[in-house]
Amino acid sequence: MKCYICAKEGKDTDAVAMCIVCGMGLCMDHLVREDVDVWEGGYPFPAQRMKKVLPRILCPECYNAMGGG
Ligand SMILES: [Zn+2]
Ligand SMILES: [Zn+2]
């Protein structure tokens, strides 16, 4: 998979992660990572409790949409 943002800019960069919200492929330069210890509601996944600290990978657009930054 390629980084979606790089692809839009005409570059061809391998994705190292994927946005958990929209599924966009992201390279190291474009992913936004936050470690969260509570899996809050509102994600497009079946509701379930997670007991571990999870890395949350978002693309810049979803990060902004969720009020981050
Ligand atoms: Zn990129
Ligand atoms: Zn996204």
Side-chain angles (χ1 to χ4, degrees):
M1 184 166 55
K2 303 296 182 184
C3 172
Y4 183 81
I5 296 173
C6 285
K8 279 203 302 187
E9 295 172 354
K11 288 182 274 182
D12 189 34
T13 309
D14 281 327
V16 297
M18 201 170 79
C19 174
I20 62 168
V21 177
C22 66
M24 178 188 296
L26 297 163
C27 69
M28 285 302 288
D29 287 341
H30 289 125
L31 68 81
V32 180
R33 179 178 167 161
E34 284 190 345
D35 290 331
V36 290
D37 59 5
V38 178
W39 195 249
E40 298 173 2
Y43 293 93
F45 298 119
Q48 59 181 326
R49 296 217 170 168
M50 307 297 277
K51 290 172 183 168
K52 295 180 186 174
V53 175
L54 294 173
R56 183 173 69 171
I57 305 283
L58 297 170
C59 69
E61 287 179 36
C62 291
Y63 184 71
N64 289 335
M66 295 177 102

